[in-house]
Amino acid sequence: MRILTAFALLFLISVSCTKQPDLTGFDVESFKKDRGGCGGTREKQIDWLKTHKMTWKGVSSNDLEDILGKPDIQQLADRNQEYYVYFLEKGPHCDKITNPSQARTMAFRFSAMGLTTEITFQQGLP
């Protein structure tokens, strides 16, 4: 019973102590409201995102979703990893999210523990 209690306590401490990114100079609300990058406001923030991409490393998937909003596309990868993809500019996906698009994207790769391990920028999906 003591081992189970210790494990539960350790789990709660590790979950509650996730890294919070420094978002000074980043307009979180306009990013969230510009779903799919279709409104053009995310495009204006690309330079900030690229310059501060390491700010996001170690952030949990739950925290990232709270900050940036629901990802435009969520992909599952091997070994219980996943990707959150956010479109940064308007493209064919704005008409229908399943349309193939080569619009610029920002992708977050999460470890099996749910922490950001990699942040990439590319045309289309990773």
Side-chain angles (χ1 to χ4, degrees):
M1 186 65 172
R2 285 183 176 162
I3 294 173
L4 184 59
T5 304
F7 180 73
L9 183 60
L10 182 62
F11 177 75
L12 289 174
I13 290 171
S14 68
V15 171
S16 64
C17 298
T18 59
K19 178 185 172 197
Q20 295 297 312
D22 178 10
L23 301 176
T24 306
F26 181 67
D27 189 351
V28 175
E29 288 308 310
S30 69
F31 189 94
K32 270 186 179 180
K33 290 178 184 175
D34 189 12
R35 188 86 172 121
C38 300
T41 57
R42 285 185 183 178
E43 192 169 13
K44 297 172 186 169
Q45 299 188 68
I46 292 174
D47 289 337
W48 189 96
L49 289 166
K50 285 184 176 181
T51 302
H52 298 90
K53 85 176 201 175
M54 295 311 290
T55 299
W56 303 102
K57 201 159 189 169
V59 175
S60 75
S61 58
N62 290 335
D63 288 342
L64 187 76
E65 195 168 330
D66 288 344
I67 295 166
L68 297 181
K70 186 176 176 190
D72 299 318
I73 296 178
Q74 188 172 353
Q75 296 177 330
L76 295 177
D78 59 339
R79 293 188 229 153
N80 292 330
Q81 296 181 22
E82 66 179 325
Y83 287 91
Y84 280 8
V85 180
Y86 293 89
F87 284 101
L88 300 175
E89 64 184 359
K90 188 173 181 158
H93 64 277
C94 291
D95 297 325
K96 186 177 179 187
I97 195 66
T98 57
N99 286 345
S101 180
Q102 288 301 310
R104 288 185 283 183
T105 59
M106 180 178 187
F108 296 85
R109 184 177 78 174
F110 298 98
S111 67
M113 297 288 293
L115 300 177
T116 306
T117 58
E118 182 180 20
I119 302 96
T120 60
F121 294 85
Q122 59 275 318
Q123 297 294 129
L125 300 178

